[in-house]
Amino acid sequence: MSIVIAIDGPAASGKGTLARRLAAHYGRPHLDTGLLYRATACALLDEGLPLDDVEAAVAAARSLSLVDFDEKRLRARDMGEAASVVAAMPAVRAALIDMQRSFAARPEGAVLDGRDIGTVICPDATVKIFVTASPETRATRRALELAGRGEEADYAAILEDVKKRDARDSGRSAAPLKPAADAVTLDTTELDIEEAFTAARGIVEKARR
Ligand code: CDP
């Protein structure tokens, strides 16, 4: 049976971890759509082009291939910031829609996480979860994640990053970050990974009934 799970939320809210856990639990493929924007930005930086070169960004977005992502590089701190710059361009977003929708249209369904999955990419998803947490909690989680990968992780700088990215992602006119009208909000500020996963599963089960 097809089941499409749409997970959205701000930076470092834990949506990626939840999406991976739900995908494994339900045996559905997972697409981290943030990687598409990160890879688009990365292609521009690699070519020495400015991030506001719309034409080059669209060309990079169109030629992305899901299989050759260097995740370590793409998940680096500076790439999240660069991704949110290219993600604000309507033409870049448009260039990435088909790839995301065809992923979601697999016969068995899929789990997608991002900023506009429930609002734009999969408006008819089986279930939509909007994952949030306080900026301070998110900054702490991101600092731990970066430190775990051996990247320098200054809490104050990361908190600034998180707030700046929230403002850019929520304030843009193209597919701004916001919960879909029919999304269930899951605030994970006080929840650990297991508790958040249990809560998310409960939301999915309720939607399937
Ligand atoms: O992991 P984190 O939440 O920090 O970032 P991400 O999900 O990889 O997304 C990086 C940036 O890509 C975000 O700040 C958004 O600007 C953009 N993005 C988006 O606009 N739409 C999506 N569906 C996914 C990411």
Side-chain angles (χ1 to χ4, degrees):
M1 174 203 163
S2 171
I3 164 169
V4 175
I5 302 178
I7 316 262
D8 291 299
S13 54
K15 62 190 183 308
T17 306
L18 273 182
R20 269 192 303 281
R21 293 284 304 263
L22 289 169
H25 180 78
Y26 290 104
R28 301 301 199 275
H30 167 223
L31 180 63
D32 171 351
T33 65
L35 284 179
L36 306 176
Y37 297 91
R38 288 172 182 260
T40 301
C42 189
L44 294 184
L45 296 174
D46 282 350
E47 288 177 52
L49 294 169
L51 289 172
D52 62 359
D53 185 334
V54 180
E55 225 172 280
V58 169
R62 286 213 181 103
S63 59
L64 287 186
S65 156
L66 290 179
V67 285
D68 51 35
F69 280 169
D70 172 357
E71 288 204 26
K72 182 162 187 336
R73 170 117 200 267
L74 295 181
R75 290 191 196 283
R77 190 179 142 202
D78 53 339
M79 218 51 88
E81 169 66 20
S84 89
V85 175
V86 298
M89 301 170 183
V92 169
R93 306 198 70 83
L96 292 171
I97 285 183
D98 286 352
M99 186 191 279
Q100 297 173 82
R101 288 201 178 136
S102 29
F103 193 95
R106 293 166 180 219
E108 72 273 34
V111 181
L112 285 83
D113 75 275
R115 300 290 188 289
D116 63 341
I117 308 303
T119 50
V120 175
I121 304 297
C122 303
D124 299 324
T126 320
V127 56
K128 302 176 184 180
I129 306 179
F130 192 82
V131 187
T132 60
S134 71
E136 290 75 18
T137 301
R138 290 187 281 126
T140 302
R141 288 178 187 161
R142 183 52 45 96
L144 283 172
E145 181 190 331
L146 292 173
R149 291 205 303 262
E151 248 195 89
E152 200 188 321
D154 173 63
Y155 172 80
I158 291 172
L159 180 60
E160 274 312 297
D161 271 8
V162 158
K163 288 183 173 166
K164 189 169 158 198
R165 209 129 65 78
D166 282 358
R168 189 185 287 126
D169 290 348
S170 307
R172 69 188 179 208
S173 53
L177 169 69
K178 63 166 188 218
D182 52 351
V184 178
T185 295
L186 176 59
D187 186 334
T188 67
T189 305
E190 305 291 339
L191 306 181
D192 65 21
I193 291 175
E194 276 320 309
E195 290 168 332
F197 176 55
T198 302
R201 238 175 37 216
I203 295 168
V204 174
E205 289 308 318
K206 197 168 166 208
R208 287 178 90 187
R209 279 198 294 269

